[in-house]
Amino acid sequence: AESLLDDIVLTHSLFLPTERFLQQLHQQYPWGGVGEGIGEGAGLRRKRAVLEVLLHFLETYKGLLQEEESAGKVIKELYLLIMKDTSLYHDLEDEILKLHQLVETVELKVADETPPPNKQVKPLFRHFRRIDSCLQTRVAFRGSDEIFCRVYMPDHSYVTIRSRLSASVQDILASVTEKLQYSEEQSAREDALILVTMASSGEKAVLQPSEECVFTTLGINSHLFACTRDTFDSLVPLPEEIQVVPGDTEIHRAEPEEIANHLTAFHWELFRCIHEVGGGAGGGQKVGAGGGGEADQDRCHVSCGHGGGLVLHPEAGGRVPCPLLTLSPHPSCKQNQDMLSFYAIIIGLNNAAISRLRLTWEKLPGKFKNLFRKFENLTDPCRNHKTYREVLAKMKPPLIPFVPLILKDLTFLHEGSKTLLDGLVNVEKLHCIAEKVRTVRKYRSRPLC
């Protein structure tokens, strides 16, 4: 029964939107004493069952409920009904106390409708400069969170705007225009501003006015630029972008275990920020969809870049230390149970630009070649990553899984079978999805030392 309740709460948005889900609970919780048509025993059992679902729902979603005003309104009404039953059903006192604590935790103001206090504004530094990214505490962001962000001009000056994380391109441009003191008449003409994302490589793309949550789609080394269409072609990356230098001696001095420990600690912080259900309380998108998974995937791409400097060396002899350096932290990553770094290093070294360097690979010591083959077998995708899954099943938490594979499994489960069959809920599908989501809970059930 407890597992089924968890299945329903984790997957309800697939077949029943949040507001309707809560309305069903509301209808199942009639308020009234014995004299109003409900026997005391039957009424108590019914109310306790509804309370159990509601408590589990609040524990799972907590802060995400702030994203849906309508859901908060239903919870308030239900909460008031339950509080009226405090004096009639003394056996519910423990559950009601827990409910009261949870409602306070998710900041649902029930007693009055006074406006909430000013929320703390989070600086979104990780999209500006890497040094700030290293200093910033990693926390989960919600769409309603307000952030400070820099938007650059073609001359590389910038304006700092305050915006919601879920703001649309149109909203961002309105804030930028206001900062630049553009007149409404000027904005309506052809020289109105457009919003552009630009990577350090010079790749750029124009964002459409209706696009939302653009801050979450920025890459590790991407920035937002505001310009007119006439100046779009003249945009160039920021001059202070960190460039890869062949033969960087600083990284060569680091111990493999130290590199692996830093990777593990950083990935663990990102993994902790992924909510079990992403995209808001009724989004229907599971792990990693707007809840932090993009950051982990970006980190995977960054880790793959560890072998990227290898091709910058003009001679094979100079390249040899690079695969040694890249592969050396690998055993420690596996020992740390950081499978994200483990996979990323192998994927990086299997890149076509690196794997084709025959002379470089021939100069590697034999033990490193054997080690690489062993690790390649572990990451072999044959039979749906059978080897990796068997190894992962033997590991105990805490561990960092290869996140893209979890997203692949969830996509396959969702798109591979129907949610409703002949008008009835496909319970088997919901059970499989919930079980996959629960694995994330299991991996993080113990703190990382």
Side-chain angles (χ1 to χ4, degrees), residues 302-361:
V302 171
S303 297
C304 289
H306 289 338
L310 193 125
V311 296
L312 297 177
H313 288 273
E315 297 181 4
R319 295 175 186 146
V320 174
C322 287
L324 288 175
L325 171 71
T326 306
L327 199 57
S328 294
H330 215 231
S332 298
C333 288
K334 185 174 182 292
Q335 185 177 345
N336 292 346
Q337 302 194 142
D338 178 8
M339 302 309 290
L340 187 64
S341 298
F342 186 88
Y343 250 86
I345 293 172
I346 287 296
I347 292 172
L349 290 176
N350 268 325
N351 184 284
I354 296 173
S355 60
R356 66 178 174 78
L357 302 174
R358 182 176 53 81
L359 295 177
T360 300
W361 287 100

Side-chain angles (χ1 to χ4, degrees), residues 39-76:
E40 184 173 3
L44 181 63
R45 286 193 300 272
R46 190 170 178 180
K47 291 171 189 291
R48 179 166 279 157
V50 173
L51 258 174
E52 189 178 353
V53 177
L54 184 61
L55 287 172
H56 190 47
F57 178 82
L58 288 173
E59 282 179 326
T60 303
Y61 289 83
K62 290 185 179 175
L64 291 177
L65 288 168
Q66 296 177 10
E67 304 292 326
E68 294 195 21
E69 293 182 11
S70 55
K73 196 175 295 183
V74 176
I75 291 175
K76 290 177 187 179

Side-chain angles (χ1 to χ4, degrees), residues 401-418:
F402 184 53
V403 177
L405 191 58
I406 294 179
L407 300 180
K408 172 196 167 187
D409 290 344
L410 287 170
T411 302
F412 177 79
L413 286 170
H414 181 45
E415 296 184 358
S417 55
K418 294 182 178 179

